[in-house]
Amino acid sequence: MLVRAAFVIMILASAWSATAGESQQPKTDMVPSANDVPVAVTTWGNSKGPGVLFVHGFLASTLNWQKQIHANLGETYNMASVDMRGHGASAKPIGAANYTGTKVWADDIAAAIKAAGMSKPLLVAWSYGGFFIMDYVRHYGTANVGGIVLAGTTAGLIPPPPPPEMTPARQEQINRNTSPNLETIINWTNGYMGFLMSDGALPANEAEIVKISALLVPHYVRPFLREHPTNNSDLAAKVNVPVMFISGTKDGSAKIDDVRAAAAAVKGSQVKEYEGIGTMTFWYAPDRFNGDIAKFASSLNQGRAK
């Protein structure tokens, strides 16, 4: 499976080189973060333009941003994405100290912003990535943040609902997701793909990318993701930069009513609702998603000019 993953990444690199202009070709560097853990930061686009940093979600990576990497956003913006520790091409060390708490995750984003040479970038997060961005806000504040886009997430800006009852069936699902047996994790991931593809089956090559992205997260990292704090309601009043929520009305994880409530808790934020779309708005409605990102980023830039 790892050989297969490497092969897919090579294919993607070839596709990037063939389809992107020279100034837009993605380039991945390993940069040091907390506990000397190297994280992978991919940059592309107009290096002189305003910065936009993409932060992936649960069991994901830079591979999930294919339809943003291939879009024309890079003609205007200095684009980057980060593979958070334990994900994608980033290091995956063993040991609780490398994953517990919120500071190490905040440091990964800080390292990516620095490596990409960005000043006050727009931070774009999908799903679980919203919690990572709030980790950054908690430890670094918003002094070097131009704005935030939260796609498919409340980012914990309202108190989370009580966790579901821990039934034997639920415990079994957790055990399968964190099993050291690769075949077990592959079978669990096949089920998870059904949730991600609630808007219809993806073409085989696209589904393969999403699946490999999930499988790149080792079993020993996954329990720490489950333990990550999810209540950031104390930060809602402290987020003093423009925020845009993007939510699919069929999202089974971040319910639309909860997203609306989170937006109401953050002064001056806005919500873009994608009717009939599930959690992967950026994949199933990429033209609209990229257009909304571009308009929002442009409004931030105009605000700076004033």
Side-chain angles (χ1 to χ4, degrees), residues 16 41-42 56-57 63 66 81 93 116 118 128 134 137 141 147 165 206 217-218 225 227 237 258 266 274 304:
W16 284 336
V41 178
T42 300
H56 62 75
L63 293 176
Q66 291 302 296
S81 63
M118 293 179 173
Y128 209 89
M134 287 304 111
V137 171
E165 180 185 356
E206 294 185 10
V217 183
L225 298 177
E227 296 169 6
D258 291 336
V266 180
Y274 288 25
R304 291 175 196 168

Side-chain angles (χ1 to χ4, degrees), residues 7-8 12 15 25-26 53 73 81 93 98 104 107 121-122 145 156 165 167 190 198 237 240 245 249 276-277 281-282:
F7 177 73
V8 170
L12 291 173
Q25 290 184 17
L53 175 67
L73 290 168
S81 63
N98 295 304
V104 293
D107 288 347
L122 171 61
V145 176
E165 180 185 356
T167 62
N190 288 335
S198 61
N240 56 357
F245 291 81
T249 59
I277 301 293
T281 52
F282 57 94

Side-chain angles (χ1 to χ4, degrees), residues 208-292:
E208 186 84 344
I209 291 170
V210 176
K211 183 175 180 178
I212 285 174
S213 190
L215 291 173
L216 286 173
V217 183
H219 70 91
Y220 55 84
V221 173
R222 298 176 180 214
F224 299 114
L225 298 177
R226 289 185 47 78
E227 296 169 6
H228 190 283
T230 58
N231 190 344
N232 295 310
S233 56
D234 62 307
L235 295 178
K238 300 176 183 178
V239 179
N240 56 357
V241 296
V243 177
M244 178 171 70
F245 291 81
I246 295 178
S247 180
T249 59
K250 288 173 53 181
D251 192 327
S253 178
K255 306 292 186 181
I256 186 61
D257 286 343
D258 291 336
V259 171
R260 292 168 182 159
V266 180
K267 185 177 180 180
S269 65
Q270 58 178 292
V271 182
K272 297 288 186 179
E273 298 185 14
Y274 288 25
E275 186 66 36
I277 301 293
T279 184
M280 291 208 301
T281 52
F282 57 94
W283 201 293
Y284 281 93
D287 291 342
R288 181 177 177 185
F289 185 92
N290 295 340
D292 283 338

Side-chain angles (χ1 to χ4, degrees), residues 126-127 189-199 250-254 278-280 284:
W126 167 53
S127 190
T189 303
N190 288 335
Y192 180 56
M193 291 291 290
F195 165 73
L196 293 179
M197 295 191 296
S198 61
D199 294 318
K250 288 173 53 181
D251 192 327
S253 178
T279 184
M280 291 208 301
Y284 281 93

Side-chain angles (χ1 to χ4, degrees), residues 1-2 16 18 20 47 50 53-54 66 78 116 118 135 141 255 302:
M1 183 56 67
L2 291 178
W16 284 336
S47 61
L53 175 67
F54 291 89
Q66 291 302 296
N78 178 19
M118 293 179 173
D135 293 341
K255 306 292 186 181
Q302 291 170 4

